Amino acid sequence: MYACDRHSSCESRSGLSVCSKLCYAIGGAPYQITGCAIGFFLQIYLLDVALLDPFYASIILFVGRAWDAITDPTVGFLVSRSPWTRFGRMMPWILLSTPFAALSYFLIWYVPSVDQGKAVWYLIFYCSFQTLQTCFHVPYSALTMFISTDQKERDSATAYRMTVEVLGTLIGTAVQGQIVGMASAPCISAGEDLNSTDLQVASMGNFTEPRVSLQNAYMIASGVICSIYVVCAMVLFFGTCRVRTEPMSFFQGIRMVMGHGPYFKLVMGFLFTSLAFMFLEGNFALFCSYTLGFRDDFQNILLVIMLSATLAIPFWQWFLTKFGKKTAVYIGTTSVVPFLVSVVLVPSNLIVTYIVSFAAGVSVAAAFLLPWSMLPDVVDDFKIKNPDSQGHEAIFYSFYVFFTKFASGVSLGVSTLSLDFAGYVTRGCKQPAEVDLTLKILVSPAPIVSIIIGLLIFISYPITEEIRQGNSKLLNEQRENEMDSDSTELNVV
């Protein structure tokens, strides 16, 4: 643990150590573990365990994500104006938010004993968790620009981070999916007319099978995930250096950042490509359970996707180094399209679904790695064109997170409302044909259209490999001149 002044990076002359990269990378796991569990399971949890009406579930998911999107620039502003402490400017946010975030996350997966006010309960704790998680993730994301001044070292650290984050999604899927998969999950056959109380009793799992109840399974899973969240935060806090940065006017920073063309195009491009994967993430559990008929296997299918994504991260890191990041965007994002088509058109077959899921995970890895690998390049380009501007890193990262979370809110809200209009039957053994059609649209045509729009935006993204390398060279020259200037001043004194 050591502090770095604003002219230096947290690295030795030989570069960042593997230990430093790992400690930094582990800090990204909590966001992905909880995000994966929420993304894949919250919708089906609200509908089939909490027994909320689809309309109220859609309100919770959309408002929660919209609120989360609003908090990102707010936290970015507060972080940029935070005073310097002996723990740095960003670490206190991470440390203080962690216990409250863990508690809020746990309460999301608790079913209150009263029917009235359940929607309010979930809305309050969902929004609370999103706010507290933002207080962790925005400062953490901004650390990318400070761990090294070398683009290669930053890219390497980002690859470590993305590997751990995809591993985090694997852990989140495994913990949540496998524990929930052990629970009794009765469905209601067509023609049965059970009221809310009957469904609540059914969800408790009073059956002859010696299996954990569905409600308790979600609470056990959330308890395990909360423990992992706290451990990862402590590793990040004690294993990463503290960085001193200069503040700047937040509103001036917003105008400058949003007016920077490469950043705006990057964010808009990833807004639509992220929307594609969020449509898939939010509806895949329901799609596997009802459309494909794999109610007892969907958690394993999700696990295969995340395992494939984890294994593919080193490949994409090599690919973007070899062929460039913009090329990696086109290849990595479009590679999922054939599998989105096949999973809908090919007759339901468990083996085929596993194969398609493994192949799709390769594209998921690219979606994880590329945005965070390209954001530092945009920040460097901004520094070249605005050499007198400092302290803007939190703004860059907070607004990127803002747009991606906004996309997530839109996808979840639209998806749940669409299912409501299609006539979704809470915990039905089968769903109406309209629901099956809606799920097929949400996991195939909707993501494909979003990917096409995103790639069309990327055509005008101006930072090529040549420009990126030129910016790196200019920044290195600037830093060398600053160091020479500081050394001359010391000699004169």
Side-chain angles (χ1 to χ4, degrees), residues 200-217:
Q200 192 75 22
V201 172
S203 70
M204 293 299 294
N206 294 326
F207 304 96
T208 57
E209 302 173 355
R211 303 171 78 188
V212 67
S213 76
L214 197 58
Q215 288 184 17
N216 289 339

Side-chain angles (χ1 to χ4, degrees), residues 115-315:
D115 288 334
Q116 299 296 325
K118 279 199 297 186
V120 177
W121 170 280
Y122 290 113
L123 182 61
I124 289 174
F125 286 107
Y126 186 39
C127 290
S128 298
F129 171 70
Q130 297 288 18
T131 302
L132 292 163
Q133 188 187 50
T134 297
C135 293
F136 181 109
H137 191 62
V138 168
Y140 171 74
S141 299
L143 283 175
T144 306
M145 293 305 302
F146 302 120
I147 56 175
S148 176
T149 57
D150 189 326
Q151 283 189 352
K152 290 184 179 180
E153 288 293 331
R154 286 204 307 255
D155 287 345
S156 176
T158 299
Y160 273 80
R161 173 188 166 188
M162 290 302 104
T163 301
V164 172
E165 288 197 6
V166 176
L167 182 61
T169 65
L170 178 65
I171 293 171
T173 303
V175 170
Q176 191 89 358
Q178 297 304 310
I179 293 177
V180 170
M182 293 188 300
S184 300
C187 61
I188 309 303
S189 301
E192 292 189 48
D193 185 19
L194 297 181
N195 59 29
S196 177
T197 302
D198 294 329
L199 286 171
Q200 192 75 22
V201 172
S203 70
M204 293 299 294
N206 294 326
F207 304 96
T208 57
E209 302 173 355
R211 303 171 78 188
V212 67
S213 76
L214 197 58
Q215 288 184 17
N216 289 339
Y218 275 102
M219 292 184 66
I220 292 170
S222 66
V224 173
I225 289 175
C226 287
S227 300
I228 297 173
Y229 192 114
V230 173
V231 170
C232 291
M234 298 305 293
V235 171
L236 172 67
F237 181 80
F238 289 109
T240 307
C241 66
R242 323 309 187 212
V243 183
R244 184 185 296 273
T245 59
E246 295 294 331
M248 71 175 299
S249 168
F250 181 72
F251 296 104
Q252 178 188 4
I254 292 177
R255 289 194 299 269
M256 296 181 69
V257 166
M258 296 308 297
H260 188 56
Y263 176 73
F264 184 78
K265 292 173 182 177
L266 182 74
V267 168
M268 289 298 103
F270 279 121
L271 171 65
F272 284 97
T273 56
S274 297
L275 183 61
F277 287 97
M278 288 169 186
F279 271 122
L280 185 62
E281 178 187 67
N283 296 283
F284 199 70
L286 291 172
F287 178 75
C288 289
S289 297
Y290 294 115
T291 302
L292 298 181
F294 303 138
R295 172 183 287 271
D296 296 328
D297 298 285
F298 78 87
Q299 68 272 10
N300 297 323
I301 295 171
L302 298 180
L303 196 60
V304 168
I305 294 175
M306 294 300 105
L307 176 62
S308 172
T310 303
L311 297 175
I313 284 289
F315 165 76

